C-alpha cells in the first residue's frame, strides 16, 4: 500500500521529463515531500495530447453520494480492478499517471513501524499507474479524484511491505494513458 509519496520536482521539470503538451492553468503546484490522501497532486492524462492537471488523491466514484469515501480509496489492487464496480468502468476511459519522485512504506518491526523512503536514484520521476473519476453532488460541487494502482512488491521490497505502486517505465506510459487502444 502506498500511503504517502513525494513530488519535489517543479512544473517545468515535470513538463520536460514527461514531454507534456499542456499544464492546466487552474492548477498551481508546490513541490512536496509529504503528499497525503485527499491532497491535490499533479496527474498526467491524455486526450490527444499529454496534459498535467491537479487531482485529489483518493478516488471518489462519480456515483458516490459521499465524498469522504475517497479517504478509503487511495489505492486500487491491480489484481481486482475488473471485479470492483468503482474501477472496472474507469479502465477503459480514465487511466492516468500519478507523478511522484518516491513513496514511503512502513515496515512492521518489534519496536514498531519503521519508515522507508523508496525511490529510484537513477530516475527523478516514478510514474504510478492510476485511475481517475469526476465526482459532483447536488450542490454543484465537484472534484476530480484519483487512485494509485498497487501490485505485488518487487523482490527487493518484499521484506518491507506486501504491496507497492504499479510503476510504469517511460516507454509504457503512453500505452497506459492513451485509452483509445
Amino acid at each position: 500500500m502506498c500511503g504517502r509519496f513525494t513530488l519535489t520536482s517543479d512544473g517545468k521539470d515535470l513538463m520536460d521529463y514527461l514531454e507534456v503538451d499542456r499544464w492546466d492553468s487552474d492548477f498551481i503546484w508546490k513541490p512536496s515531500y509529504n503528499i497525503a490522501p485527499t491532497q491535490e497532486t499533479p496527474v498526467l492524462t491524455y486526450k490527444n495530447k499529454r496534459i498535467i492537471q491537479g487531482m485529489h488523491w483518493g478516488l471518489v466514484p462519480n456515483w458516490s453520494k459521499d465524498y469522504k469515501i475517497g479517504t478509503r480509496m487511495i489505492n486500487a489492487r491491480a489484481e481486482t480492478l475488473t471485479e470492483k464496480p468503482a474501477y472496472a468502468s474507469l479502465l477503459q476511459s480514465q487511466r492516468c499517471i500519478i507523478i511522484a519522485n518516491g513513496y514511503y512504506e512502513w515496515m512492521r518491526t518489534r519496536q514498531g513501524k519503521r519508515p522507508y523512503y523508496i525511490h529510484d536514484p537513477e530516475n527523478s520521476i516514478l510514474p504510478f499507474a492510476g485511475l481517475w473519476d469526476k465526482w459532483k453532488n447536488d450542490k454543484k460541487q465537484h472534484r476530480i479524484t484519483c487512485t494509485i494502482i498497487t501490485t505485488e512488491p518487487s523482490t527487493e521490497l518484499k521484506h518491507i511491505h506486501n504491496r507497492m505502486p504499479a510503476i510504469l517505465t517511460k516507454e509504457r506510459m503512453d500505452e497506459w494513458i492513451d485509452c483509445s487502444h
Side-chain angles (χ1 to χ4, degrees), residues 50-99:
R50 288 180 175 211
I51 301 165
I52 289 182
Q53 63 189 70
M55 292 187 189
H56 293 268
W57 180 28
L59 188 82
V60 180
N62 61 39
W63 44 261
S64 177
K65 301 283 186 231
D66 187 6
Y67 180 76
K68 293 178 186 165
I69 194 173
T71 60
R72 295 188 309 273
M73 299 181 71
I74 61 172
N75 294 315
R77 289 177 159 267
E79 302 86 348
T80 60
L81 289 176
T82 58
E83 300 165 17
K84 306 281 183 177
Y87 308 128
S89 64
L90 304 178
L91 275 170
Q92 302 309 312
S93 61
Q94 289 168 237
R95 296 188 300 253
C96 64
I97 295 173
I98 293 106
I99 309 162

Side-chain angles (χ1 to χ4, degrees), residues 6-14 29-32 42 100-101 124-125:
T6 64
L7 183 56
T8 58
S9 303
D10 65 23
K12 183 183 179 331
D13 288 342
L14 294 176
W29 170 244
K30 291 183 182 163
S32 176
N101 299 118
S124 62
I125 301 292

Side-chain angles (χ1 to χ4, degrees), residues 99-112:
I99 309 162
N101 299 118
Y103 65 99
Y104 299 100
E105 277 307 349
W106 286 262
M107 183 172 78
R108 295 180 195 271
T109 68
R110 288 185 180 149
Q111 295 78 28

Side-chain angles (χ1 to χ4, degrees), residues 4-50:
R4 300 281 172 136
F5 65 94
T6 64
L7 183 56
T8 58
S9 303
D10 65 23
K12 183 183 179 331
D13 288 342
L14 294 176
M15 288 190 69
D16 291 345
Y17 181 83
L18 297 168
E19 301 169 9
V20 173
D21 298 303
R22 188 170 73 84
W23 185 287
D24 180 358
S25 60
D26 293 334
F27 176 57
I28 309 292
W29 170 244
K30 291 183 182 163
S32 176
Y33 285 94
N34 188 18
I35 300 169
T38 74
Q39 289 182 328
E40 193 173 30
T41 190
V43 175
L44 181 65
T45 58
Y46 183 84
K47 290 183 184 148
N48 299 322
K49 59 177 126 181
R50 288 180 175 211

